[in-house]
Amino acid sequence: MTHPTVAVLGAGSMGEILAEGLVRAGWETENIILFVRREERAREAERRTAIEATLDPAVAIDERDVLVIAVKPKDVEHLLRQIEDLVRPGQVVVSLAAGVPLNVFEEALEDVAVVRAMPNTPAAVDEGMTAFCGGSHADDDALALADMVLSAVGETIRLSEDLLDAVTAVSGTGPAYVFLLAEALTEAAIREGLPHHAAEKLVIQTLRGAGALLSVSDKSAFRLRAEVTSPGGTTAAAMHMLEDGGFRALMERAVRSAAQRSRELGEIALEQAGTEK
Ligand SMILES: NC(=O)c1ccc[n+]([C@@H]2O[C@H](COP(=O)([O-])OP(=O)(O)OC[C@H]3O[C@@H](n4cnc5c(N)ncnc54)[C@H](OP(=O)(O)O)[C@@H]3O)[C@@H](O)[C@H]2O)c1
């Protein structure tokens, strides 16, 4: 299957991560274009990615197979006003905007296949996790095109739209949970007397190794943990302390709070869509 042509609308962190990932995955740079709103941004993005950047939405959108919306949720409405008369049925719009519901896009872009996706930043090293859902005009071909683009930077999963707030809270926000764990574990290691560079190396490789083991093993996280926890041993002492300190309840509250914030952002996006029409 040949690669679909792609326009990335909004070349900030996520837009550039995806565009660069497409190139690593074998897309020709001339089959990708970046749409930006500032000349300076265009030059920066072109220098970093070697992909053409344009300030003209018509040039960006013209006959591209897939249009990836990678602006902040608050900028979605303005972008939609810029592109609504340019997008044609047959093109597939893939939105990465956290919390912005499919119907915001479908109301602006009649009869166009829209896919809403939630990626995460490990996409920068082709280890992303993206969940996506299709709108009412997204048939199997449109979903396959969107999946092809999104899976250039990692794994994908198709879910129903009502689950995307939970996805945002788990895998979208998830890298930050792991980074916080890395920070806390490194600080604890230093307090136990380890030199800074050694503490960082131990923590990074432990997270990487545990993640790799979990992903290739046919055992669950629970089983892998049980196997390294002998009664009365060192891991048991640490696990007891974490459970006693409410680690699970805290994780649950963090995820619930991120999902709630995602729902609130979605509501704000819907209100904005209503007022800007
Ligand atoms: N970063 C993440 O971890 C992550 C994870 C999942 C989903 N997302 C989603 O990805 C989207 C982008 O996030 P980000 O972190 O990449 O934000 P970002 O770094 O701020 O990038 C957004 C880019 O969009 C550009 N832009 C805004 N309005 C535009 C317009 N009308 N025309 C052209 N360009 C426009 C901005 O231009 P300027 O440079 O001129 O401001 C900026 O470069 C968000 O909707 C976010 O919810 C991000």
Side-chain angles (χ1 to χ4, degrees):
M1 197 172 167
T2 54
H3 292 138
T5 53
V6 179
V8 178
L9 314 178
S13 337
M14 210 15 109
E16 273 194 22
I17 284 175
L18 182 65
E20 288 175 325
L22 292 173
V23 175
R24 284 194 301 277
W27 262 255
E28 302 287 345
T29 49
E30 51 273 28
N31 286 335
I32 311 170
I33 193 162
L34 307 173
F35 172 55
V36 298
R37 61 178 170 183
R38 291 181 292 122
E39 189 62 46
E40 188 196 351
R41 187 87 200 94
R43 300 292 80 82
E44 272 172 21
E46 282 183 345
R47 184 175 41 78
R48 272 207 293 273
T49 63
I51 296 168
E52 181 192 348
T54 178
L55 279 88
D56 183 346
V59 170
I61 284 166
D62 186 37
E63 297 191 9
R64 304 277 154 185
D65 299 316
V66 178
L67 311 171
V68 178
I69 297 187
V71 300
K72 291 275 193 208
K74 68 176 176 50
D75 294 323
V76 163
E77 261 313 303
H78 179 69
L79 179 76
L80 283 174
R81 298 286 82 84
Q82 288 177 286
I83 65 168
E84 61 192 348
D85 296 330
L86 302 168
V87 183
R88 301 274 163 258
Q91 292 184 301
V92 180
V93 170
V94 179
S95 165
L96 309 183
V100 184
L102 281 166
N103 59 353
V104 166
F105 300 94
E106 292 192 324
E107 279 179 22
L109 309 168
E110 262 174 54
D111 299 329
V112 173
V114 183
V115 169
R116 176 178 162 195
M118 174 46 57
N120 66 9
T121 51
V125 290
D126 300 334
E127 292 286 356
M129 180 67 241
T130 303
F132 68 96
C133 59
S136 49
H137 302 292
D139 59 14
D140 287 348
D141 288 346
L143 290 167
L145 276 188
D147 196 7
M148 193 174 175
V149 168
L150 297 168
S151 60
V153 287
E155 295 290 325
T156 59
I157 183 170
R158 187 176 163 206
L159 293 169
S160 59
E161 186 172 26
D162 59 321
L163 295 175
L164 282 210
D165 294 308
V167 165
T168 303
V170 175
S171 57
T173 312
Y177 307 148
V178 177
F179 300 145
L180 179 64
L181 174 65
E183 272 178 69
L185 190 52
T186 305
E187 282 162 18
I190 292 167
R191 263 184 242 115
E192 280 307 302
L194 285 157
H196 192 280
H197 74 277
E200 276 190 334
K201 183 165 180 166
L202 292 175
V203 169
I204 291 169
Q205 182 53 26
T206 301
L207 290 179
R208 187 191 172 110
L213 180 60
L214 183 59
S215 73
V216 300
S217 173
D218 51 12
K219 295 173 186 165
S220 65
F222 169 79
R223 176 105 332 265
L224 288 170
R225 185 167 61 81
E227 282 176 5
V228 291
T229 313
S230 17
T234 57
T235 310
M239 292 300 122
H240 176 72
M241 199 48 87
L242 287 170
E243 296 283 12
D244 205 40
F247 178 77
R248 272 174 214 273
L250 201 55
M251 199 68 234
E252 195 177 319
R253 279 169 54 201
V255 169
R256 183 153 305 153
S257 153
Q260 177 55 27
R261 185 64 190 140
S262 176
R263 279 187 280 275
E264 286 166 8
L265 290 174
E267 279 158 23
I268 293 169
L270 275 174
E271 276 167 28
Q272 272 182 350
T275 51
E276 291 206 12
K277 259 188 240 120

